[in-house]
Amino acid sequence: MARVLNNLLLFLIRLALKIRVWGYWTLIYGYCALCTTAALLKLCWNIVLRPTTTFQWGIRETPPACLNDTSLGTHCYVRIKESGLRFHYVAAGERGKPLMLFLHGFPEFWFSWRYQLREFKSEFRVVAVDMRGYGESDLPLSTENYQLDHLVTDVKDIVEYLGYNRCCLVGHDWGGTIAWLFAIHYPEMVTKLIVLNCPHPSVFTDYALRHPSQLLKSSHFFFFQLPRFPELMLSINDFKALKALFTSRNTGIGRKGRWLTAEDLEAYLYALSQPGALTGALNYYRNVFSSLPLSHKHVRSPVLLLWGERDAFLEQEMAEACRLYIRNHFRLNIISGASHWLQQDQPDIVNTLIWTFLKEGEGRKSYRN
């Protein structure tokens, strides 16, 4: 009788797990279909309104002058033997000083850290990387090449090939996700972790599944699972959607922030208009659902989390919840009026808060700005 009950219990547990997995993927594919329908309607409406210009966009042939500004640093390349990939990065500050490594988000590239490169080169060897698939770094074609473990290994390889065994790691958006994961898996290589507008991956997963409002704000995760169609939607009307991400009232840099100049915006269009560039950036999303949940979650490095109050994509409640997974000093600053593009929106405040975190002792309580 006991054996029968045990077998029944095991059966029910397995059945519940299968139902949960089935429900998870049903939610994902169902939401993908919904987002696709909305995008198709938007495309049709664009064709009606702009029949001659909807499918017109151009590759920017010449980089704007701001990308060759020598005050930002020197353009360098490193080829990683293990992966065979070549990475582009911009570096400043004396060699031999502590390494501060910057990881950008979507849809950005090294240039998003221009204010921080200038600020921290006095005390650090500052390096802003074009992550795989972005900018002048190599662009693997297969979506499998953008699995999270590959992206984390890229960071480890770059740190080591720069001649370091540890760094102060700074990440924003997708770069923040990779920074969290790197600190989880290689705690000995992270002296301090600084993340901008990106929750701990486990916090994001748990919160999004329980809060439909966040699921709605994350609808692009589902839409980007489709092949080719997202690239088209981001390209039509000469990359109008990309421009809107940085400049619109809802998602762009806040009213109090430093607006992107025309040249800054052209720098982004130069990088993202190149053949295959949008596919490389979108491939980060096309592996994310198969990589979660995490098996290891705790961060053992000191952590500074900076959060723009007006983030249009991420709800603020996730910021405080990150504390659950940090086994060291944790400081949280929520910056009033700032957007998702925090290090460009409010660079002076961001830089001051980073300096404070770098110079302070551990064990003090977090505070809000």
Side-chain angles (χ1 to χ4, degrees):
M1 184 65 179
R3 180 178 295 178
V4 172
L5 290 174
N6 284 336
N7 289 338
L8 178 60
L9 181 61
L10 287 173
F11 170 77
L12 291 174
I13 292 173
R14 289 170 182 165
L15 179 62
L17 182 60
K18 288 181 180 179
I19 291 173
R20 185 177 179 181
V21 171
W22 178 84
Y24 175 73
W25 287 107
T26 298
L27 171 66
I28 290 170
Y29 287 119
Y31 205 7
C32 283
L34 181 63
C35 294
T36 303
T37 302
L40 281 169
L41 292 173
K42 184 176 181 180
L43 177 60
C44 292
W45 185 243
N46 267 279
I47 294 173
V48 170
L49 293 179
R50 307 175 186 86
T52 60
T53 62
T54 295
F55 295 104
Q56 292 182 5
W57 59 85
I59 297 173
R60 273 54 176 177
E61 301 290 347
T62 306
C66 60
L67 294 182
N68 294 313
D69 183 349
T70 56
S71 71
L72 297 177
T74 304
H75 292 259
C76 308
Y77 300 86
V78 59
R79 184 170 297 279
I80 304 300
K81 183 178 179 180
E82 289 77 4
S83 66
L85 298 179
R86 189 184 77 155
F87 288 88
H88 167 256
Y89 63 93
V90 173
E94 293 181 18
R95 296 178 185 272
K97 287 188 174 182
L99 175 64
M100 180 178 281
L101 183 65
F102 296 95
L103 308 178
H104 64 79
F106 172 89
E108 301 175 286
F109 64 121
W110 72 266
F111 186 66
S112 69
W113 298 110
R114 57 196 178 279
Y115 296 112
Q116 288 68 45
L117 288 170
R118 289 193 185 101
E119 177 71 18
F120 295 99
K121 65 183 179 181
S122 61
E123 298 292 334
F124 291 88
R125 176 67 171 172
V126 290
V127 173
V129 181
D130 279 340
M131 298 170 70
R132 72 163 65 192
Y134 278 95
E136 295 182 49
S137 291
D138 282 350
L139 196 162
L141 297 177
S142 172
T143 57
E144 286 72 25
N145 287 314
Y146 295 84
Q147 292 176 1
L148 291 178
D149 57 341
H150 294 320
L151 303 175
V152 171
T153 301
D154 285 345
V155 178
K156 178 178 181 292
D157 290 339
I158 289 169
V159 171
E160 292 177 344
Y161 273 78
L162 290 172
Y164 292 84
N165 56 23
R166 57 198 308 199
C167 67
C168 174
L169 188 59
V170 188
H172 168 251
D173 186 78
W174 256 107
T177 297
I178 305 307
W180 281 115
L181 294 173
F182 185 78
I184 290 169
H185 291 286
Y186 299 100
E188 73 283 357
M189 296 186 71
V190 180
T191 56
K192 290 197 173 186
L193 175 64
I194 301 169
V195 179
L196 289 74
N197 280 82
C198 178
H200 186 289
S202 293
V203 170
F204 176 77
T205 303
D206 295 343
Y207 187 90
L209 291 175
R210 290 175 171 82
H211 295 82
S213 56
Q214 178 57 57
L215 208 59
L216 183 62
K217 290 181 178 180
S218 302
S219 59
H220 58 287
F221 274 73
F222 301 88
F223 177 55
F224 291 166
Q225 302 306 307
L226 299 172
R228 300 183 182 178
F229 189 43
E231 285 91 330
L232 172 65
M233 292 302 295
L234 291 173
S235 300
I236 61 173
N237 296 312
D238 197 30
F239 306 101
K240 181 180 178 181
L242 289 175
K243 297 173 186 175
L245 275 177
F246 295 107
T247 61
S248 72
R249 180 181 297 272
N250 291 330
T251 64
I253 290 176
R255 287 173 295 176
K256 299 179 181 179
R258 292 196 185 184
W259 293 93
L260 292 182
T261 66
E263 188 178 42
D264 292 339
L265 189 58
E266 196 60 28
Y268 280 101
L269 296 180
Y270 169 78
L272 293 165
S273 68
Q274 302 307 310
L278 285 174
T279 298
L282 292 169
N283 279 343
Y284 281 65
Y285 292 90
R286 290 167 176 158
N287 281 289
V288 68
F289 292 117
S290 59
S291 302
L292 300 171
L294 302 179
S295 56
H296 303 287
K297 302 179 180 180
H298 293 132
V299 177
R300 305 193 181 280
S301 307
V303 176
L304 170 65
L305 179 58
L306 301 178
W307 201 277
E309 182 188 36
R310 291 185 59 255
D311 193 316
F313 308 102
L314 299 167
E315 295 189 354
Q316 187 175 304
E317 288 74 14
M318 288 188 287
E320 182 61 38
C322 294
R323 187 186 302 275
L324 296 172
Y325 297 103
I326 298 167
R327 298 293 181 265
N328 206 313
H329 171 47
F330 175 59
R331 175 180 286 271
L332 168 64
N333 290 101
I334 297 174
I335 301 176
S336 175
S339 69
H340 178 74
W341 319 103
L342 190 55
Q343 75 272 29
Q344 302 178 79
D345 187 330
Q346 301 285 350
D348 294 336
I349 294 175
V350 166
N351 293 345
T352 297
L353 293 173
I354 291 176
W355 276 125
T356 301
F357 175 68
L358 293 173
K359 293 178 178 180
E360 72 182 357
E362 298 183 5
R364 295 172 61 186
K365 296 181 179 179
S366 68
Y367 66 94
R368 293 158 64 99
N369 189 65

